């Protein structure tokens, strides 16, 4: 019955769905109050999984979006919506999200992420760092030993006015051909983000982890090889860059020990659906 075999696109969709449903099952507790909902095609299944639990499960939950797509998903599912800046303040601090779920374009072996393939990286990072626990959901094509191996560019959100200078600076840092992302085929001209900014896609050679550094390789880009943390540090210093699609550093659980709550960009776990229907879970060490 080869004619009835699911095609590759259908297998990818079912892989995303399996990852999302398993992640929600494992990490959304009935007692959670504030839940971050990311952007992209995999997160659609996160919302589906939450809705499938029935209205009583989420009756006491409030959902925080990462952009207009995410807002629409929350509304369409009949879930309670609250913008990031509108959540309650307790003792002078906005309450932390109990958990946030989001997709990823590439995930390395230390759970660093590239995000922004759908131009939503800025609000996604704000929501991720506001969460005690961040969970990535994806299909297994996104798994990679080092970032910029499969997804070869870093999405960078920039002020449109600054784009020409940022492009020049990125070239000077060793990015061979950074480009402003086009809005085509759906929009003529540049891709404009939910924040009114543009996206630059900057290619870099595969990014090193701290453990890759040696006396010969210091990861500062001089030989074309950047270590993630060093590159991120240089990029965010560039005037005109609003945010970068590298999610790196430490996760929410480690952040508590470091006294750096609201600064954790990395997930505590990534869920990858495979075309064979399995879900592989990559937990933080
Ligand atoms: O800007 C978009 C987001 O970072 C997405 O979460 C990311 O691109 C992954 O999207 P998808 O689940 O469609 O692969």
């Amino acid at each position: 019955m080869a004619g009835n075999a699911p095609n590759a696109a259908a297998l990818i969709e079912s892989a995303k769905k399996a990852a999302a449903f398993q992640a929600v099952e494992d990490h959304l507790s009935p007692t959670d109050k504030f839940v971050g909902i990311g952007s992209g095609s995999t997160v659609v299944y996160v919302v589906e999984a939450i809705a499938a639990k029935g209205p009583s499960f989420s009756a006491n939950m409030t959902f925080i979006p990462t952009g207009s797509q995410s807002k629409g998903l929350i509304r369409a599912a009949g879930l309670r919506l609250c913008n990031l800046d509108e959540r309650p303040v307790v003792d002078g601090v906005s309450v932390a999200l109990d958990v946030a779920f989001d997709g990823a374009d590439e995930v390395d072996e230390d759970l660093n992420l590239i995000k922004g393939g759908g131009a939503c990286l800025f609000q996604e990072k704000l929501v991720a760092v506001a969460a005690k626990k961040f969970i990535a959901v994806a299909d297994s094509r996104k798994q990679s030993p080092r970032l910029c191996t499969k997804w070869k560019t870093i999405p960078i959100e920039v002020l449109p006015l600054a784009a020409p200078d940022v492009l020049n600076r990125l070239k000077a840092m060793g990015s061979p051909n950074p480009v402003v992302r086009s809005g085509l085929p759906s929009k003529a001209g540049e891709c404009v983000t939910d924040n009114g900014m543009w996206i630059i896609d900057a290619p870099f050679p595969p990014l090193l982890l701290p453990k890759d550094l040696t006396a010969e390789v210091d990861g500062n880009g001089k030989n074309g090889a950047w270590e993630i943390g060093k590159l991120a540090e240089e990029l965010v210093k560039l005037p005109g860059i609003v945010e970068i699609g590298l999610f790196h550093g430490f996760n929410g659980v480690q952040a508590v020990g470091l006294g750096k709550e609201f600064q954790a960009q990395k997930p505590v776990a990534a869920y990858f659906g495979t075309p064979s229907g399995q879900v592989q879970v990559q937990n933080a060490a």
Side-chain angles (χ1 to χ4, degrees):
M1 298 292 285
N4 291 334
N7 63 28
L11 287 174
I12 294 294
E13 285 310 302
S14 60
K16 292 177 187 178
K17 182 171 181 174
F21 271 67
Q22 190 63 53
V24 168
E25 193 58 36
D26 291 353
H27 289 283
L28 184 62
S29 153
T31 56
D32 286 343
K33 296 267 185 288
F34 292 92
V35 181
I37 298 293
S39 307
S41 57
T42 315
V43 157
V44 171
Y45 299 116
V46 167
V47 176
E48 195 179 307
I50 296 169
K53 288 185 167 290
S56 62
F57 181 84
S58 52
N60 294 320
M61 295 180 182
T62 300
F63 294 85
I64 317 292
T66 55
S68 61
Q69 178 224 3
S70 158
K71 203 176 269 190
L73 290 173
I74 295 168
R75 282 204 175 111
L79 303 172
R80 186 183 302 112
L81 174 75
C82 172
N83 288 320
L84 186 66
D85 61 339
E86 291 167 344
R87 60 200 209 277
V89 175
V90 178
D91 294 333
V93 181
S94 298
V95 294
L97 278 54
D98 297 290
V99 58
F101 298 93
D102 206 346
D105 300 305
E106 194 171 25
V107 183
D108 76 15
E109 65 179 44
D110 279 357
L111 289 170
N112 299 295
L113 310 179
I114 290 181
K115 291 183 53 53
C120 295
L121 64 98
F122 187 14
Q123 293 189 40
E124 289 179 340
K125 193 171 280 187
L126 296 175
V127 168
V129 300
K132 294 178 200 164
K133 190 169 67 167
F134 172 34
I135 306 295
V137 289
D139 64 81
S140 54
R141 295 173 305 170
K142 312 295 185 68
Q143 261 178 317
S144 170
R146 299 290 182 273
L147 298 185
C148 291
T149 302
K150 293 179 176 175
W151 192 274
K152 295 181 185 298
T153 58
I154 301 173
I156 298 174
E157 188 154 355
V158 295
L159 184 73
L161 185 71
D165 289 324
V166 172
L167 288 170
N168 286 336
R169 182 69 184 125
L170 287 167
K171 285 179 201 157
M173 289 173 66
S175 178
N177 185 27
V179 291
V180 174
R181 190 182 295 177
S182 164
L184 291 174
S186 49
K187 177 193 169 294
E190 297 78 12
C191 165
V192 179
T193 72
D194 287 336
N195 316 303
M197 303 290 158
W198 289 355
I199 296 287
I200 289 177
D201 290 303
F204 278 94
L207 302 186
L208 304 178
L209 301 176
K211 65 187 170 200
D212 297 327
L213 302 182
T214 62
E216 294 74 39
V217 179
D218 68 3
N220 64 7
K222 283 196 187 115
N223 299 317
W226 281 98
E227 184 270 324
I228 292 174
K230 291 185 184 187
L231 178 59
E233 196 180 325
E234 290 302 313
L235 291 175
V236 296
K237 279 197 282 197
L238 288 187
I241 289 185
V242 179
E243 192 48 88
I244 61 174
L246 284 179
F247 286 45
H248 72 105
F250 46 86
N251 65 47
V253 174
Q254 295 162 336
V256 175
L258 295 166
K260 292 188 171 178
E261 290 89 340
F262 297 103
Q263 294 180 54
Q265 301 180 7
K266 269 173 41 169
V268 296
Y271 283 64
F272 301 99
T274 70
S276 62
Q278 307 296 309
V279 177
Q280 295 167 356
V281 185
Q282 187 180 338
N283 286 302

